Amino acid sequence: MRKNKITFLVMELLLLILALFFVWKIFNQNVPEKRVAVVLPEAGDNRWDALIKGMKQSAKNNHIHLIICNTDEMESAEVEQEIIQEQRNNQIDAFLVWPASGSETEEMLKNECADVPVILIVENVYNEDEQEFSTFSEIGPDYYEMGALLARELGEDASKIGIVAGREESEASTSAVRGFSDTLEQMKGEIAWCYYQEEDCNVLDEIRARAPVDHLVVLDSRTLDRIGEQADNGELKNIRIFGIGYSVKSIAMLDYGKIDGLVAPDGYEIGYKSVEEMAKKLQHRFYKTKSVKTTIKMIRSDDLFQDEDIERFLYSYE
Amino acid sequence: MILLIFTCSGCGNRHPEMKEALHVGVVTYTQGDPFINAMTDKLKENLKSMETEDMKIIVSVKNGKDDQQAQNETVEEMIDAGCDVLCINLVDRTVPSRIIKLAKQNHIPVIFFNREPVREDLLQWEELYYVGCDAEQSGIMEGEIAADYIKDHPEVDKNQDGKIQYVLLEGEAGHQDTISRTDYSVKTLIEEGVQLEKLSYQFADWNRGQAENRMTRLISQYEDGIELVISNNDEMALGAVEAYRKSEYVPSKWPVIFGIDGLDSALEAVKSGEMQGTVYNDKEEQALEMARLSLEIFRGENVYRNQLKEGRYYVSQYQRVDSSNVDDFLKH
């Protein structure tokens, strides 16, 4: 009799555990995925292909609903602010933001996203004072190191060098130029001129208007692709071109010999890690997001199909 | 009380000064088609010029990576992020149903362009439009320009056998425009009394590089026996030009080459004599029409919409281009 009672109690307990498990499972399935908005300029451009691929994979693994904002060029903090404001009305839980150039962006992000988590992607916010660090976590490559890598690649052969950088008030441009100049200072190379791009300018006209150079260092991916196209048309044929490139196009141009050397960040890694880091924050309210410096690689045309390490790195660009 | 104050402040409009914004999502079939890229650049330019102090226009351009499934996903992402009008250049014109369903569910009007969906699909919802051209007309015009040129230049028949030995460079196999352009160009040449002998036809997916490879093979096979190249578009015609540039033949030994689209580089080739003609596909006019339609749809007006054929079709007219009028088009 006593044995029957114990068996009954054990069975009841098991049934209760089972019932609790199913109730938990039902509620767990009904939890909506957290919505993370991605703010990138010209989000449909192929320079972001690897990055978005990484983000989507990570979103799938971390049960995040990604919203890739419909954007055009983002020439100022004001334009970025409008996009963020619109998405605030789209039930967004967090933002992954490429910061627009200009020193107002940090303040704008602090105001607009005071109550939602933000992680910066690809580059950090621009700060006039180089010693002052941003309060946001950033997942992206080390642009100072990328500039330094290019200077070391040019080595002591380079005599007359022209630099084409992105916007002047951008962390990526200023850091890459500093990295390049600091490293070149230790060698014999001479920088003939450095040009920071302005809105609505024709880069080729700007290059033509400046003193002739032997080497062109292009520190902006989109511009590198455009300049490579011109090299394709036979223009700039006596100039060796090096640069920072994100896109498949840059790699194709390296393969065709239109570009002589390329420093490429791992777009897939930036995308994957940024979503992963945000997922941790959204799962654990008190988690403090971390900055991550992602992988960069110097790629030469000879290495493209011979160096296994480079081949593996380029898988994410496919 | 404190809770009430916080709740009320949250209910108000966070940004009362926000401008009205029109979001136009453009999804092309690929990122590698110069004609489509030129058209979307023009569309962006037109839309930007229509911005006012009270209304901002944001144009987001993405592409379908030559895959209908990928294009459907891109459209879904665009709708998810917020979009007022969609401009779609389909990867596969026969399967727009997923896009139409998504648009209808979310009440987002769609302007299809350049690749025309089948009529039954376009009639599924009153907020579907098409801006483009009639492929048949381009084929007829290409045939007419080629026939006129051959009649005026008997030296085109290099072997003087009374027949013109020709090759065809075709777009995608089974594509409606490929079929129409090929059929009507050849048919028109025959109707105009030109005796033809087909040496070969090659599919090159509208692509310059592929056309160059195919043409290089044809040159090594037929040597100087090719007298006419009819291409379904300018990109492939320019591929043929490139193949001849790299061949051993001097320009006087080249066949005559005709294309369709009126790309800037093709117009330059017509001017320099490397191509003999093309058919101008008025991308500027179509881009302007799409921009006007987008704005009108957003504002709920009906000025341009009332002028559309059956309330949904805008069919732009092709124009013939040869050495006599090429300068007029280069100024575009």
Side-chain angles (χ1 to χ4, degrees):
Chain A
M1 185 69 187
R2 189 179 162 79
K3 202 178 169 188
N4 278 350
K5 206 173 176 182
I6 291 170
T7 314
F8 175 77
L9 281 172
V10 169
M11 290 297 286
E12 284 293 300
L13 195 70
L14 279 173
L15 280 171
L16 183 72
I17 292 168
L18 214 60
L20 284 173
F21 172 76
F22 281 117
V23 168
W24 173 79
K25 199 76 187 153
I26 288 163
F27 280 103
N28 196 35
Q29 276 172 353
N30 286 339
V31 173
E33 285 182 329
K34 295 283 185 187
R35 292 162 66 85
V36 176
V38 180
V39 183
L40 280 169
E42 297 175 296
D45 193 80
N46 69 0
R47 71 184 187 275
W48 306 124
D49 281 357
L51 177 100
I52 290 176
K53 206 197 269 183
M55 282 181 163
K56 284 184 177 170
Q57 187 57 50
S58 184
K60 202 172 160 191
N61 295 352
N62 291 292
H63 311 291
I64 293 285
H65 181 92
L66 271 191
I67 288 149
I68 318 267
C69 297
N70 294 329
T71 52
D72 200 346
E73 285 179 36
M74 257 186 309
E75 61 279 357
S76 67
E78 197 188 337
V79 178
E80 189 155 57
Q81 183 178 20
E82 284 166 11
I83 291 161
I84 290 172
Q85 286 175 355
E86 277 175 8
Q87 289 302 323
R88 291 301 307 259
N89 299 326
N90 198 10
Q91 287 89 47
I92 291 301
D93 297 298
F95 282 96
L96 295 173
V97 178
W98 172 91
S101 57
S103 49
E104 321 80 50
T105 305
E106 183 164 21
E107 207 47 44
M108 178 277 288
L109 286 173
K110 278 181 189 165
N111 292 335
E112 289 300 327
C113 307
D115 51 351
V116 281
V118 177
I119 292 179
L120 303 180
I121 47 172
V122 184
E123 64 179 280
N124 213 320
V125 282
Y126 172 76
N127 209 313
E128 278 171 18
D129 182 357
E130 288 162 11
Q131 303 305 317
E132 203 169 301
F133 294 103
S134 117
T135 48
F136 294 103
S137 300
E138 180 231 345
I139 314 260
D142 182 341
Y143 286 92
Y144 184 92
E145 188 49 34
M146 287 169 104
L149 256 178
L150 280 170
R152 284 197 285 274
E153 183 66 17
L154 261 65
E156 306 201 343
D157 305 337
S159 48
K160 280 185 254 166
I161 303 165
I163 301 176
V164 178
R167 295 290 179 88
E168 190 161 11
E169 291 197 330
S170 124
E171 184 270 333
S173 299
T174 48
S175 298
V177 170
R178 261 192 309 116
F180 186 82
S181 319
D182 290 355
T183 312
L184 204 75
E185 231 176 58
Q186 296 154 25
M187 300 184 233
K188 287 179 189 165
E190 176 205 329
I191 298 172
W193 47 261
C194 176
Y195 166 66
Y196 285 97
Q197 284 179 69
E198 286 150 30
E199 207 178 323
D200 298 329
C201 68
N202 184 324
V203 182
L204 272 170
D205 287 345
E206 297 294 336
I207 295 171
R208 284 185 205 114
R210 286 169 166 75
V213 288
D214 305 323
H215 293 78
L216 200 59
V217 175
V218 187
L219 302 173
D220 176 63
S221 175
R222 214 168 122 216
T223 315
L224 182 69
D225 290 352
R226 284 186 188 160
I227 288 178
E229 275 169 22
Q230 299 304 319
D232 212 22
N233 297 338
E235 221 175 320
L236 312 169
K237 62 181 172 190
N238 296 321
I239 304 176
R240 297 191 72 200
I241 303 171
F242 293 80
I244 293 175
Y246 278 72
S247 67
V248 181
K249 198 170 176 181
S250 315
I251 290 156
M253 285 192 296
L254 182 74
D255 189 24
Y256 294 145
K258 309 293 175 199
I259 297 173
D260 297 276
L262 187 72
V263 178
D266 189 340
Y268 188 90
E269 187 189 4
I270 302 172
Y272 194 95
K273 288 196 169 152
S274 55
V275 173
E276 190 179 50
E277 194 63 13
M278 189 54 88
K280 285 181 194 165
K281 174 72 186 167
L282 292 170
Q283 277 156 18
H284 309 285
R285 210 173 153 196
F286 297 106
Y287 176 79
K288 194 164 166 27
T289 55
K290 297 180 190 76
S291 290
V292 179
K293 288 285 173 219
T294 51
T295 319
I296 51 172
K297 284 263 186 242
M298 180 77 222
I299 309 173
R300 301 162 197 93
S301 54
D302 301 344
D303 301 338
L304 269 178
F305 304 108
Q306 284 169 15
D307 187 329
E308 273 186 28
D309 197 28
I310 297 284
E311 269 198 67
R312 239 191 329 271
F313 180 79
L314 292 177
Y315 280 154
S316 65
Y317 280 83
E318 283 175 358
Chain B
M1 187 64 184
I2 292 169
L3 193 69
L4 190 69
I5 291 166
F6 273 109
T7 314
C8 289
S9 64
C11 293
N13 190 349
R14 270 176 59 86
H15 303 285
E17 75 283 4
M18 255 178 88
K19 272 192 208 174
E20 185 184 26
L22 159 61
H23 286 265
V24 181
V26 183
V27 189
T28 63
Y29 82 97
T30 182
Q31 194 165 26
D33 184 328
F35 177 79
I36 297 294
N37 292 348
M39 196 162 162
T40 48
D41 285 349
K42 205 74 203 163
L43 172 65
K44 269 175 92 167
E45 204 180 302
N46 287 328
L47 284 165
K48 285 283 164 195
S49 71
M50 291 172 180
E51 273 186 347
T52 60
E53 275 191 11
D54 308 318
M55 190 186 61
K56 194 169 169 55
I57 301 180
I58 297 165
V59 190
S60 186
V61 182
K62 296 186 179 180
N63 77 88
K65 300 178 169 52
D66 288 298
D67 176 356
Q68 191 55 58
Q69 181 60 28
Q71 189 175 46
N72 293 349
E73 283 168 19
T74 306
V75 169
E76 207 167 342
E77 278 171 20
M78 276 193 154
I79 292 174
D80 200 16
C83 200
D84 301 302
V85 180
L86 280 164
C87 297
I88 309 285
N89 169 222
L90 287 165
V91 176
D92 183 347
R93 63 184 284 276
T94 61
V95 282
S97 45
R98 175 91 188 119
I99 291 175
I100 293 175
K101 194 178 164 196
L102 283 167
K104 209 171 158 183
Q105 273 170 1
N106 293 280
H107 307 287
I108 300 169
V110 184
I111 304 169
F112 291 102
F113 67 100
N114 186 259
R115 292 180 168 197
E116 185 184 346
V118 280
R119 192 178 153 75
E120 286 70 23
D121 283 325
L122 208 69
L123 294 176
Q124 281 186 39
W125 185 36
E126 64 275 15
E127 292 289 1
L128 303 175
Y129 305 89
Y130 174 69
V131 173
C133 282
D134 175 11
E136 186 181 312
Q137 189 191 30
S138 63
I140 292 171
M141 283 190 175
E142 189 180 32
E144 285 171 353
I145 310 168
D148 288 351
Y149 190 91
I150 292 165
K151 284 179 195 164
D152 291 346
H153 298 82
E155 69 277 11
V156 172
D157 186 6
K158 288 186 278 189
N159 58 4
Q160 295 294 311
D161 64 348
K163 284 188 252 172
I164 301 296
Q165 281 74 33
Y166 75 102
V167 297
L168 273 164
L169 291 174
E170 301 193 52
E172 287 165 58
H175 192 285
Q176 182 67 22
D177 285 2
T178 302
I179 297 166
S180 293
R181 287 177 177 183
T182 301
D183 280 359
Y184 284 95
S185 56
V186 174
K187 213 193 242 173
T188 308
L189 270 160
I190 294 168
E191 281 170 7
E192 293 280 332
V194 178
Q195 289 236 40
L196 294 174
E197 183 187 348
K198 180 152 82 179
L199 297 179
S200 180
Y201 66 95
Q202 299 284 324
F203 289 103
D205 284 347
W206 312 108
N207 182 283
R208 191 184 300 204
Q210 284 194 40
E212 186 187 332
N213 289 340
R214 307 276 189 283
M215 201 65 221
T216 304
R217 263 194 276 149
L218 290 174
I219 294 169
S220 63
Q221 187 179 349
Y222 295 105
E223 298 175 339
D224 63 348
I226 303 167
E227 294 170 340
L228 164 67
V229 178
I230 304 172
S231 170
N232 282 170
N233 77 348
D234 280 346
E235 270 295 285
M236 296 188 294
L238 290 163
V241 168
E242 201 51 45
Y244 272 98
R245 277 185 194 149
K246 290 175 183 167
S247 73
E248 61 189 276
Y249 298 107
V250 291
S252 59
K253 294 277 180 195
W254 292 13
V256 284
I257 301 170
F258 296 89
I260 294 173
D261 275 345
L263 289 179
D264 285 349
S265 39
L267 295 174
E268 294 287 354
V270 172
K271 192 169 168 62
S272 69
E274 289 181 317
M275 274 174 68
Q276 282 60 43
T278 181
V279 180
Y280 197 80
N281 188 346
D282 201 339
K283 54 186 179 296
E284 288 81 9
E285 186 200 28
Q286 290 162 53
L288 182 62
E289 192 60 30
M290 281 159 67
R292 281 172 175 166
L293 256 177
S294 302
L295 197 65
E296 206 178 89
I297 290 166
F298 183 65
R299 288 179 170 158
E301 294 165 354
N302 272 313
V303 182
Y304 290 104
R305 278 193 280 183
N306 285 341
Q307 293 166 16
L308 296 177
K309 192 177 146 199
E310 297 176 52
R312 58 182 76 222
Y313 284 96
Y314 181 83
V315 183
S316 172
Q317 296 301 303
Y318 281 107
Q319 294 167 76
R320 293 173 51 159
V321 184
D322 57 25
S323 60
S324 65
N325 64 348
V326 67
D327 287 330
D328 301 340
F329 291 88
L330 276 166
K331 283 173 202 155
H332 253 91

